Amino acid sequence: MTPLLEPDPAKGQVVVTRFTCHTLPKVLLILLMHLRLKRHVRRQATGYLGIKVLVDWRQRVVLSISLWQDLDSVYSMGGVPRHVGASRAPGRFGITTTCGVFCYAGGWTRVMFGGAAKAESPLHPATPVVDPATRRTAATTG
């Protein structure tokens, strides 16, 4: 089966940043930086939905996974001065970073099974639909 991928940058973005820290103090430094910067990003960036930080303590790796409403939202991080400044810090401490931006590619049933119905992105509120048989409003599901 060939997956049906329909990328749409306006329907949500996931940004994953990997910090390879090598030492425990560097892991703690990255965690502290994330705690301090989160509120600045929330207040100053548009379309920011949230972040989750995962730590692989044995490998000394931190993964930062953030959710954004659309691609323009990701670019709005450039308007957060503290984040711009902090983005230079890991390299000065010998922490290696890699980052990827992942675009919404379609509802899971359509992507995995070729289903006909298009689903809404889970990063956006559900669009109400009216069932013609009952004339009642129901939220769409993916």
Side-chain angles (χ1 to χ4, degrees):
M1 164 144 225
T2 303
L4 180 58
L5 303 176
E6 301 168 321
D8 187 346
K11 288 191 175 179
Q13 303 290 309
V14 177
V15 178
V16 179
T17 306
R18 178 188 181 97
F19 299 89
T20 305
C21 300
H22 306 291
T23 68
L24 184 59
K26 291 178 185 179
V27 169
L28 297 175
L29 173 68
I30 290 297
L31 293 175
L32 180 62
M33 288 176 66
H34 271 82
L35 280 173
R36 293 184 68 196
L37 288 172
K38 185 166 51 172
R39 77 171 169 262
H40 295 285
V41 172
R42 186 181 307 118
R43 289 179 185 158
Q44 297 173 349
T46 60
Y48 169 75
L49 300 174
I51 189 168
K52 178 68 179 172
V53 177
L54 304 174
V55 181
D56 181 339
W57 294 101
R58 288 187 179 166
Q59 298 296 317
R60 307 295 195 244
V61 169
V62 177
L63 292 177
S64 166
I65 304 164
S66 59
L67 303 177
W68 300 84
Q69 280 187 330
D70 53 33
L71 190 56
D72 289 338
S73 301
V74 176
Y75 288 122
S76 76
M77 269 199 307
V80 182
R82 290 206 181 191
H83 185 273
V84 172
S87 67
R88 297 181 184 104
R92 290 194 301 257
F93 291 102
I95 298 169
T96 306
T97 62
T98 56
C99 183
V101 179
F102 301 88
C103 175
Y104 177 76
W108 71 275
T109 55
R110 190 164 170 89
V111 170
M112 295 176 71
F113 305 114
K118 287 188 177 184
E120 294 295 319
S121 166
L123 300 182
H124 293 266
T127 305
V129 293
V130 177
D131 181 352
T134 63
R135 298 182 187 226
R136 291 188 178 158
T137 302
T140 60
T141 59

